[in-house]
Amino acid sequence: MNSFNLTRINRLSPYRVELGDNELVFKTDYDILYSVWFEEQPVPGIEAKAYWLNLTNYSQKSSPGDVKIRQTVTCILEEFFRTNPDVLLYMCDSANDQQAMRSRLFLRWFNAYGRQAEYYTCTEMVKDGDEESHIALIVKRSHPLLQEIIEMFDEEIAMFRANKPQ
Amino acid sequence: MQIYLYSLRLIEILHYLCSVKAAIKRAKSRKLAFELFRAEADSNEVQTLNNEIMEATTTTFTAMQWARHEQFVEMLRAVKQRKRERQAQIEMRLKEEAEYIRKERARLDAIYKDLDDELI
């Protein structure tokens, strides 16, 4: 993974982003520590490089209405796509059974980001046994394998919904 | 002559009323027919949607696609597992930090207590 330019992130980020142990960390006005890290993970059926985005609230306290968090994460994501024009997947944190809410929030973040023309985003709920997971796909529309990636993702979602023949 | 004219006028009015009644009846039947048409169209739409859903859920995938899907599911499980492990690590670290703060506070309280005792 190509390394990020922290100066470029901090030029626009409302919270100061610092480099941690293989992660980017920032502290909010409410003293809440957030961590953002990317994990490379080959996705079956995709030739392109893919990463999982992980966003963790270390303090485990809520900070309702803090738009600066969204703006900071957005700055980090912009830097990710600037230096790594790859596929980004995101699975919402399942803490407190708030996955669906987090999925909606994440989509709202990206919509508020106002870059739909530049990025293809899609969030879906999949069921593995009794366990529900909300996953999101983000990929730059300029990605040379965009169509293949979307088709693969849609196919996987369709297979989650279909019953596998025994 | 006057009576004859009045009768003609009355017949005219009656004829007009009859035509109005017929028009209302026609409009009602047209409305009913339109509603029936809409209902039929809606039911066709519902049927089409049902067919699409059925088609989507009964799409057949090849064994190769299912094999790849298995890999995808395994990958999701692994990602979830790593998230859980990291979450557990965070919780452990927070607990340790809380315990450290509690111990430090107790230690400082003891020091201040000793100082207070000495001063008294």
Side-chain angles (χ1 to χ4, degrees):
Chain A
M1 183 176 181
N2 297 321
S3 52
F4 294 167
N5 183 333
L6 275 185
T7 317
R8 209 156 41 192
I9 296 175
N10 284 319
R11 204 174 289 147
L12 292 170
S13 169
Y15 288 132
R16 180 156 186 82
V17 178
E18 281 165 22
L19 197 63
D21 181 19
N22 285 327
E23 62 186 352
L24 295 168
V25 288
F26 64 91
K27 198 177 239 181
T28 74
D29 292 337
Y30 305 93
D31 226 24
I32 296 169
L33 190 67
Y34 277 93
S35 150
V36 181
W37 50 287
F38 299 87
E39 184 188 21
E40 190 179 345
Q41 169 81 59
V43 177
I46 296 185
E47 297 291 318
K49 263 188 180 179
Y51 292 88
W52 283 91
L53 162 71
N54 292 282
L55 175 64
T56 313
N57 175 344
Y58 275 151
S59 311
Q60 298 192 327
K61 287 185 275 181
S62 64
S63 52
D66 187 355
V67 289
K68 287 184 184 175
I69 300 171
R70 184 193 79 203
Q71 290 163 348
T72 307
V73 174
T74 302
C75 286
I76 295 170
L77 290 184
E78 277 222 306
E79 181 62 19
F80 168 84
F81 281 108
R82 198 179 287 127
T83 51
N84 301 272
D86 303 307
V87 179
L88 190 62
L89 290 154
Y90 173 63
M91 190 191 292
C92 300
D93 199 332
S94 60
N96 314 321
D97 294 322
Q98 297 281 308
Q99 273 208 49
M101 191 272 288
R102 287 192 182 97
S103 171
R104 278 196 299 274
L105 182 70
F106 187 73
L107 203 63
R108 214 176 68 195
W109 276 18
F110 232 86
N111 288 341
Y113 188 26
R115 303 295 293 271
Q116 294 102 312
E118 201 176 341
Y119 298 98
Y120 172 85
T121 59
C122 174
T123 66
E124 290 286 351
M125 191 273 282
V126 293
K127 251 183 148 179
D128 179 20
D130 290 334
E131 206 176 346
E132 287 181 1
S133 303
H134 290 258
I135 50 174
L137 168 77
I138 310 164
V139 57
K140 265 198 154 187
R141 289 191 188 273
S142 58
H143 197 291
L145 299 171
L146 176 72
Q147 208 47 46
E148 279 175 44
I149 293 161
I150 296 172
E151 277 169 20
M152 185 288 305
F153 190 73
D154 288 347
E155 196 179 285
E156 287 300 334
I157 300 302
M159 290 175 92
F160 268 109
R161 285 176 189 161
N163 291 318
K164 189 187 172 184
Q166 297 302 309
Chain B
M1 185 63 187
Q2 196 71 17
I3 292 167
Y4 175 71
L5 284 174
Y6 276 133
S7 304
L8 275 178
R9 185 83 185 129
L10 194 64
I11 289 164
E12 229 173 70
I13 290 167
L14 280 172
H15 185 73
Y16 172 73
L17 284 174
C18 284
S19 68
V20 167
K21 199 180 164 189
I24 291 168
K25 206 175 170 182
R26 275 202 305 276
K28 272 186 181 169
S29 75
R30 267 206 300 272
K31 194 182 167 204
L32 194 67
F34 180 68
E35 276 173 6
L36 276 170
F37 169 75
R38 279 291 302 272
E40 202 179 326
D42 284 351
S43 94
N44 284 343
E45 203 174 318
V46 168
Q47 192 56 47
T48 314
L49 277 173
N50 280 339
N51 290 344
E52 276 175 19
I53 290 164
M54 282 295 286
E55 201 180 312
T57 50
T58 54
T59 306
T60 49
F61 296 102
T62 63
M64 212 171 88
Q65 283 171 309
W66 281 117
R68 199 188 65 192
H69 181 65
E70 280 298 313
Q71 287 180 335
F72 192 88
V73 173
E74 285 303 317
M75 177 202 66
L76 274 188
R77 285 178 189 156
V79 169
K80 248 186 275 183
Q81 184 57 31
R82 283 197 293 273
K83 267 178 102 79
R84 279 196 200 109
E85 282 168 8
R86 201 172 167 100
Q87 195 70 32
Q89 273 177 4
I90 293 164
E91 276 164 22
M92 180 70 81
R93 206 168 79 181
L94 285 172
K95 256 184 207 167
E96 280 171 6
E97 278 173 14
E99 183 61 17
Y100 173 77
I101 290 166
R102 193 190 62 77
K103 278 183 182 164
E104 276 297 289
R105 196 168 285 161
R107 192 178 65 83
L108 290 170
D109 282 349
I111 291 168
Y112 280 112
K113 192 178 175 298
D114 289 347
L115 281 171
D116 286 347
D117 289 347
E118 276 175 31
L119 285 169
I120 292 162

